[in-house]
């Protein structure tokens, strides 16, 4: 028997990567399976040394409840790279109420990272992430957000457990200009 609702829900969930997201949210950053899923889901294409620093920091940040600023700063000191997107993805995995920074979220919110030096960019990245967090906090109070969350839950009832922040994140990520 064909259940069109289930088939379409599963297809939509796969297109958003929600099946893999569930495995990540239940995983352990020290596990090689977790790291493989995380790398694939978030398209981490860095060398082994970078990934070792990243996952060591992931466990440390999880246990010590690091902020975005602490994560991006320590990652910068360990790798020399300003990794705003990957820092936010780490934080959003540790705390599902935190938003993700990616090019589509920035584009949809009209935000741009500025700075002439790496230090300026690092400081501005922390401020910009605070702006993203503030946008989510305000947006989630709106009727539009409420309607979007209801639509998400109606179309993807098996994923109603996902945080409201992640639901809106999925919509922003999917909305391409």
């Amino acid at each position: 028997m064909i259940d069109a609702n289930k088939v379409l829900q599963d297809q939509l969930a796969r297109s958003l990567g929600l099946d893999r997201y569930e495995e990540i949210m239940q995983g352990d950053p020290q596990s090689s399976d977790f790291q493989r899923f995380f790398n694939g889901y978030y398209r981490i294409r860095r060398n082994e040394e970078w990934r070792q620093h990243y996952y060591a920091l992931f466990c440390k940040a999880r246990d010590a409840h690091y902020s975005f600023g602490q994560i991006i700063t320590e990652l910068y000191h360990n790798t020399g790279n300003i990794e705003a997107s990957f820092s936010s993805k780490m934080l959003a995995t540790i705390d599902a109420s935190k938003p993700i920074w990616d090019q589509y979220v920035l584009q949809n919110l009209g935000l741009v990272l500025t700075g002439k030096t790496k230090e300026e960019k690092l400081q501005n990245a922390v401020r910009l992430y605070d702006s993203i967090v503030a946008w989510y906090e305000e947006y989630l109070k709106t009727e539009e957000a409420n309607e979007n969350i209801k639509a998400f839950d109606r179309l993807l009832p098996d994923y109603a457990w996902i945080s409201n922040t992640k639901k809106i994140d999925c919509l922003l990520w999917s909305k391409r200009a």
Side-chain angles (χ1 to χ4, degrees):
M1 187 63 135
I2 298 173
D3 180 347
N5 288 327
K6 180 69 172 147
V7 169
L8 293 171
Q9 178 189 186
D10 290 348
Q11 186 61 35
L12 178 57
R14 269 193 305 280
S15 74
L16 293 171
L18 297 178
D19 50 340
R20 291 182 296 156
Y21 176 75
E22 185 171 10
E23 292 180 49
I24 289 167
M25 294 308 287
Q26 295 174 353
D28 177 3
Q30 292 176 315
S31 153
S32 60
D33 285 340
F34 172 90
Q35 293 175 18
R36 187 172 35 83
F37 281 126
F38 194 90
N39 292 345
Y41 185 73
Y42 287 120
R43 297 183 177 117
I44 295 180
R45 308 286 185 259
R46 300 291 192 271
N47 66 34
E48 181 64 27
E49 181 183 355
W50 186 96
R51 290 193 316 269
Q52 286 177 354
H53 285 297
Y54 187 79
Y55 288 107
L57 175 57
F58 206 129
C59 294
K60 184 177 174 183
R62 177 194 61 197
D63 295 343
H65 307 288
Y66 273 27
S67 67
F68 175 82
Q70 290 170 303
I71 292 169
I72 194 172
T73 300
E74 190 160 329
L75 196 54
Y76 170 66
H77 290 304
N78 287 331
T79 68
N81 299 323
I82 299 168
E83 301 282 11
S85 180
F86 293 138
S87 296
S88 74
K89 290 166 181 168
M90 179 190 299
L91 182 60
T93 303
I94 294 167
D95 179 353
S97 72
K98 298 297 183 192
I100 287 179
W101 165 318
D102 88 349
Q103 65 178 334
Y104 302 112
V105 171
L106 290 182
Q107 179 182 325
N108 284 311
L109 299 183
L111 300 172
V112 177
L113 177 61
T114 60
K116 294 180 181 176
T117 67
K118 282 191 169 189
E119 289 296 326
E120 282 180 9
K121 285 183 180 179
L122 179 64
Q123 292 170 3
N124 289 340
V126 173
R127 284 194 287 271
L128 197 59
Y129 187 75
D130 288 343
S131 296
I132 294 168
V133 170
W135 182 89
Y136 272 85
E137 287 172 353
E138 289 304 310
Y139 182 76
L140 287 170
K141 296 175 189 174
T142 68
E143 185 59 33
E144 179 181 303
N146 190 42
E147 291 302 316
N148 285 331
I149 291 164
K150 284 179 184 176
F152 187 102
D153 291 344
R154 186 177 60 254
L155 294 168
L156 294 159
D158 291 349
Y159 297 92
W161 60 269
I162 291 174
S163 74
N164 289 342
T165 299
K166 181 62 179 175
K167 291 171 187 175
I168 298 304
D169 180 65
C170 284
L171 297 175
L172 283 175
W173 180 82
S174 297
K175 184 178 178 233
R176 311 288 169 96

